[in-house]
Amino acid sequence: MNHALLALAASFFATSALAAESTPSCNLAAPDAAYAGAGCAQQWMDANLHLNDILVVGTHNSYKQAIDPKIMALIASNAAQVAPTLDYSHIPLDQQLDGGARAIELDVAYDPKGGLFANPLGPRLTGTALPDGYADAMTKPGFKVLHAQDFDFRSNCIAFVECLRALKSWSAAHPRHVPILITLNAKDDSPVAMGTQALKFDTPAFDALDAEIASVFSPGEIITPDQVLGTYPTLREAVLEHGWPTLGEARGKFLFALDEDEPKISLYRAGRKSLEGRMMFINAPEDSPAAAYLTLNEALTDTAHITKDVKAGFLVRTRADADTVEARKNDTARRDAALASGAQYISTDYMEPDTRFGPYQARLPNGTVAVCNPQRAAERCSGIPIEP
């Protein structure tokens, strides 16, 4: 090494030593974040909290755009009770994340050849135009994201991989975000006989769904059942005896959950004991060896059930509102029960109020994105947000 390099090295080590002396020492063994030292709360949380020690709010049917007014009128004239339940919409996914959403829900439909959903019935009956780029996007093979293929099909990201890429891009620009839950519903109903007939999900379809997730996210960008399972015999034992990854290990990552009924869950498991090799967790009963994640959407009637499962170590998603009912009445009872229950991920259609209905909204106070879970770790954070 020549003299210039020696001098440069000496300067570097001197600067590093000075920085180390000026940085306060963090007490990561402190009983709570407030006693970790000045500027150390985030480091303490990363080391001492786990993925299931958080509480955040996210969105339901996060991709959904408003139904065309003419098609909505057609729905209302034929199904007056259904129309109000569909009368909500969301801004693009990245804007939702900017606004603090940390749970996203996507409905996926199987379209391996492309073109299955390119000609919806609603526009044909009402003479309305398809959204710009819709037909082209629908002709490409791959899973599509929509609510109801003939009438409620407008989406902020038509192709599933398009949605995933938007989420990944946002995450790359915000690497300190708490883990974001992405719940998936496998849509294969065909309610209108003269409309588009959806393809039923089977095990090969779920294999393809996993493959699309893997085509966008690398192993280090998501939390999979195998990672949580580790060396434990079952996933259930892993989360109840060992626990989820630490917050520090989980920041900047996503986890996927298949929120479905038992027949589809069985197809996805395909004989697996604990989802070995799968990309998604499943909505499994508490006594299942694959149990880790639970959907318990009735926060008012399932409050005690949710709290019990959260305290045990499970990850739970619930809803603050549904079918526009709470927003139209400004009824906050369900929202408040959800926030108190300890469910880690709370879903809403109203992170921002719908001015047509009133002031109702569901989000954490003071612009906070993530807080310590009230049923698991509230006192350990001393009111300090996990993600401001």
Side-chain angles (χ1 to χ4, degrees):
M1 182 179 291
N2 62 33
H3 292 295
L5 289 176
L6 284 169
L8 181 61
S11 173
F12 171 79
F13 286 118
T15 302
S16 298
L18 181 61
E21 290 176 3
S22 61
T23 301
S25 176
C26 293
N27 179 12
L28 300 185
D32 61 57
Y35 292 94
C40 294
Q42 291 288 309
Q43 291 185 50
W44 185 94
M45 292 176 184
D46 283 358
N48 289 280
L49 300 181
H50 290 78
L51 188 160
N52 58 323
D53 289 327
I54 68 172
L55 187 148
V56 299
V57 177
T59 52
H60 159 256
N61 288 348
S62 310
Y63 59 89
K64 188 178 174 327
Q65 292 184 347
I67 299 173
D68 182 278
K70 289 184 179 180
I71 297 178
M72 180 60 87
L74 177 65
I75 297 170
S77 65
N78 289 274
Q81 292 182 330
V82 173
T85 71
L86 303 175
D87 193 12
Y88 63 93
S89 62
H90 292 293
I91 57 179
L93 298 182
D94 58 342
Q95 295 179 30
Q96 293 178 46
L97 297 175
D98 283 339
R102 293 297 180 266
I104 296 293
E105 183 182 51
L106 303 174
D107 291 337
V108 291
Y110 191 37
D111 187 18
K113 296 181 180 179
L116 181 60
F117 305 104
N119 191 25
L121 180 62
R124 285 185 276 144
L125 293 176
T126 58
T128 54
L130 292 170
D132 291 342
Y134 178 89
D136 181 60
M138 280 295 179
T139 61
K140 296 179 173 63
F143 290 89
K144 305 305 189 297
V145 175
L146 46 79
H147 193 227
Q149 60 264 35
D150 284 305
F151 299 98
D152 193 4
F153 53 82
R154 291 175 177 260
S155 174
N156 283 311
C157 44
I158 294 170
F160 180 50
V161 292
E162 178 190 352
C163 300
L164 298 184
R165 288 170 186 148
L167 295 170
K168 178 174 177 172
S169 294
W170 184 91
S171 177
H174 304 81
R176 287 282 299 164
H177 68 77
V178 297
I180 296 171
L181 173 68
I182 303 175
T183 50
L184 299 184
N185 295 144
K187 303 287 280 192
D188 60 6
D189 293 333
S190 301
V192 181
M194 60 187 294
T196 304
Q197 301 304 295
L199 296 177
K200 291 295 182 180
F201 273 80
D202 54 14
T203 297
F206 282 122
D207 291 343
L209 186 58
D210 269 4
E212 287 206 0
I213 296 172
S215 75
V216 175
F217 289 103
S218 66
E221 294 169 334
I222 60 175
I223 298 164
T224 65
D226 280 341
Q227 293 172 13
V228 176
L229 176 64
T231 60
Y232 280 80
T234 68
L235 193 55
R236 182 180 187 276
E237 290 172 88
V239 299
L240 298 187
E241 296 179 20
H242 174 70
W244 294 83
T246 65
L247 182 58
E249 293 168 334
R251 281 194 190 271
K253 297 182 181 181
F254 296 86
L255 67 159
F256 289 79
L258 180 62
D259 181 12
E260 274 298 345
D261 55 16
E262 177 55 34
K264 288 179 184 174
I265 290 300
S266 295
L267 290 170
Y268 184 69
R269 288 181 72 180
R272 294 169 174 83
K273 186 176 184 179
S274 289
L275 301 172
E276 295 85 354
R278 281 305 197 188
M279 302 295 288
M280 296 186 281
F281 296 90
I282 58 173
N283 180 28
E286 289 96 329
D287 60 354
S288 168
Y293 163 86
L294 302 163
T295 296
L296 298 170
N297 278 331
E298 301 305 322
L300 274 173
T301 55
D302 280 346
T303 309
H305 187 182
I306 293 170
T307 299
K308 179 182 177 181
D309 284 336
V310 166
K311 287 182 175 180
F314 293 110
L315 204 63
V316 179
R317 180 259 201 184
T318 194
R319 290 188 66 176
D321 42 73
D323 300 330
T324 76
V325 171
E326 287 79 11
R328 293 175 188 273
K329 298 178 179 179
N330 192 27
D331 182 355
T332 63
R334 182 171 177 170
R335 178 200 69 188
D336 296 344
L339 290 168
S341 71
Q344 290 91 348
Y345 292 94
I346 298 171
S347 180
T348 180
D349 289 319
Y350 303 97
M351 288 198 71
E352 298 297 335
D354 186 328
T355 55
R356 299 174 302 163
F357 301 151
Y360 176 84
Q361 67 178 143
R363 62 183 310 135
L364 296 173
N366 304 318
T368 301
V369 173
V371 297
C372 270
N373 193 287
Q375 298 295 342
R376 291 190 58 85
E379 72 287 349
R380 304 185 72 199
C381 291
S382 300
I384 303 169
I386 294 175
E387 186 181 344

